[in-house]
Amino acid sequence: LFAIFAFATCGGYSGGLRLSVDCANKTESDLNIDIAFAYPFRLHQVNFDVPTCEGKHREKLSLIGDFSSSAEFFVTIAVFAFLYSLAATVVYIFFQNKYRENNRGPLIDFIVTVVFSFLWLVSSSAWAKGLSDVKIATDPDEVLLLMSACKHQSNKCLPVHSPVMSSLNTSVVFGYLNFILWAGNIWFVFKETGWHSSGQRHPPDTMEKQSSSYNQGGYNQDSYGPAGGYNQQGSYGQVGEYGQSQSYAQSGPTSFTNQI
């Protein structure tokens, strides 16, 4: 949806501006000079006729600049992002097993997501610069400077209305929103890859090694259990500090009395 809004607001744009040239000789004036332009903003191909205020002769002018490269690049990335998102949605829903087979699907998805994130950033920045140049090239005050009639103070050249650029501004906003969306999605796609799974399996292996090292030591050898030091023959008898410990473990009350 974000990709649709991005290429629709840019690729579907058409606008225009209107100028007026009021000559000293009113019969030569033209108060409604309409200049229309649209995507892909090859402004140097936009021609218009204006009066020269020197008889009925009119001069043919054109706007300045060609900004089609940045605009077309932006729209192309938006269209391909939309198509890939549509294809990925179909795969996620109907071909989940194939997607996870041999971990190839998540890896491809991860790489494509990173590439699209980078392309969204580049294309949005390029189009933002291109839009700034389009605004300058279509500014009525700048266009009036191209007319020879406006160089004479006896003639009055005025802008009637400027082009509306709100949809183009929206396209730039959606471009950067798409970058944020795709860049944020990198983490979620990365979690589907084997790289993330291998990273998650490493800490449990380490804990198992540590627990096995404790088990091989003296902490879990039933030191205090029934077969441990208190009940095993000679565990304290070898020390010789309390007498024969076998008597406590094996002899009855009588032998204990005799020893006393």
Side-chain angles (χ1 to χ4, degrees), residues 187-208:
W187 166 247
F188 297 99
V189 180
F190 175 74
K191 290 173 65 176
E192 300 290 334
T193 63
W195 298 333
H196 180 267
S197 300
S198 61
Q200 288 290 92
R201 286 196 297 266
H202 182 70
D205 293 342
T206 306
M207 295 299 296
E208 289 178 2

Side-chain angles (χ1 to χ4, degrees), residues 35-130:
I35 305 174
F37 61 96
Y39 173 87
F41 308 104
R42 294 187 177 94
L43 301 183
H44 66 287
Q45 297 179 356
V46 178
N47 301 318
F48 55 96
D49 295 330
V50 296
T52 58
C53 296
E54 297 176 355
K56 296 296 182 179
H57 178 69
R58 297 175 70 90
E59 63 178 342
K60 188 175 184 178
L61 300 174
S62 62
L63 297 178
I64 298 176
D66 181 6
F67 311 101
S68 60
S69 58
S70 59
E72 291 176 338
F73 178 49
F74 178 79
V75 172
T76 300
I77 296 302
V79 171
F80 277 105
F82 163 71
L83 295 177
Y84 179 77
S85 300
L86 188 63
T89 303
V90 173
V91 172
Y92 293 157
I93 297 175
F94 299 104
F95 303 97
Q96 187 65 228
N97 294 333
K98 284 288 185 181
Y99 174 76
R100 296 180 181 275
E101 185 177 356
N102 298 327
N103 200 37
R104 183 177 301 176
L107 288 178
I108 295 175
D109 196 15
F110 173 75
I111 294 172
V112 173
T113 302
V114 172
V115 172
F116 266 113
S117 300
F118 175 74
L119 291 178
W120 271 118
L121 177 62
V122 174
S123 63
S124 299
S125 301
W127 172 230
K129 177 60 170 62

Side-chain angles (χ1 to χ4, degrees), residues 3-254:
I4 291 174
F5 290 138
F7 70 73
T9 52
C10 179
Y13 177 82
S14 61
L17 63 152
R18 177 174 295 179
L19 308 173
S20 67
V21 178
D22 189 7
C23 301
N25 185 359
K26 301 299 183 181
T27 59
E28 301 173 358
S29 301
D30 189 348
L31 303 180
N32 294 307
I33 303 174
D34 292 320
I35 305 174
F37 61 96
Y39 173 87
F41 308 104
R42 294 187 177 94
L43 301 183
H44 66 287
Q45 297 179 356
V46 178
N47 301 318
F48 55 96
D49 295 330
V50 296
T52 58
C53 296
E54 297 176 355
K56 296 296 182 179
H57 178 69
R58 297 175 70 90
E59 63 178 342
K60 188 175 184 178
L61 300 174
S62 62
L63 297 178
I64 298 176
D66 181 6
F67 311 101
S68 60
S69 58
S70 59
E72 291 176 338
F73 178 49
F74 178 79
V75 172
T76 300
I77 296 302
V79 171
F80 277 105
F82 163 71
L83 295 177
Y84 179 77
S85 300
L86 188 63
T89 303
V90 173
V91 172
Y92 293 157
I93 297 175
F94 299 104
F95 303 97
Q96 187 65 228
N97 294 333
K98 284 288 185 181
Y99 174 76
R100 296 180 181 275
E101 185 177 356
N102 298 327
N103 200 37
R104 183 177 301 176
L107 288 178
I108 295 175
D109 196 15
F110 173 75
I111 294 172
V112 173
T113 302
V114 172
V115 172
F116 266 113
S117 300
F118 175 74
L119 291 178
W120 271 118
L121 177 62
V122 174
S123 63
S124 299
S125 301
W127 172 230
K129 177 60 170 62
L131 177 57
S132 176
D133 295 336
V134 168
K135 290 180 178 180
I136 295 175
T138 58
D139 185 3
D141 293 330
E142 295 293 330
V143 178
L144 289 174
L145 297 178
L146 302 175
M147 304 179 185
S148 59
C150 298
K151 297 178 182 178
H152 302 283
Q153 296 182 354
S154 58
N155 303 320
K156 296 180 180 180
C157 300
L158 298 173
V160 178
H161 71 76
S162 302
V164 179
M165 299 287 189
S166 57
S167 63
L168 297 181
N169 295 332
T170 304
S171 68
V172 174
V173 173
F174 273 110
Y176 284 109
L177 287 177
N178 273 284
F179 162 69
I180 296 173
L181 181 66
W182 284 77
N185 197 43
I186 291 177
W187 166 247
F188 297 99
V189 180
F190 175 74
K191 290 173 65 176
E192 300 290 334
T193 63
W195 298 333
H196 180 267
S197 300
S198 61
Q200 288 290 92
R201 286 196 297 266
H202 182 70
D205 293 342
T206 306
M207 295 299 296
E208 289 178 2
K209 292 179 181 179
Q210 292 179 354
S211 61
S212 62
S213 64
Y214 283 110
N215 291 333
Q216 293 176 1
Y219 292 98
N220 291 331
Q221 291 183 351
D222 296 333
S223 300
Y224 301 98
Y230 289 107
N231 294 330
Q232 288 180 354
Q233 297 180 0
S235 60
Y236 279 89
Q238 294 177 358
V239 179
E241 189 173 353
Y242 297 102
Q244 295 179 352
S245 61
Q246 295 179 359
S247 301
Y248 295 98
Q250 296 178 354
S251 301
T254 305

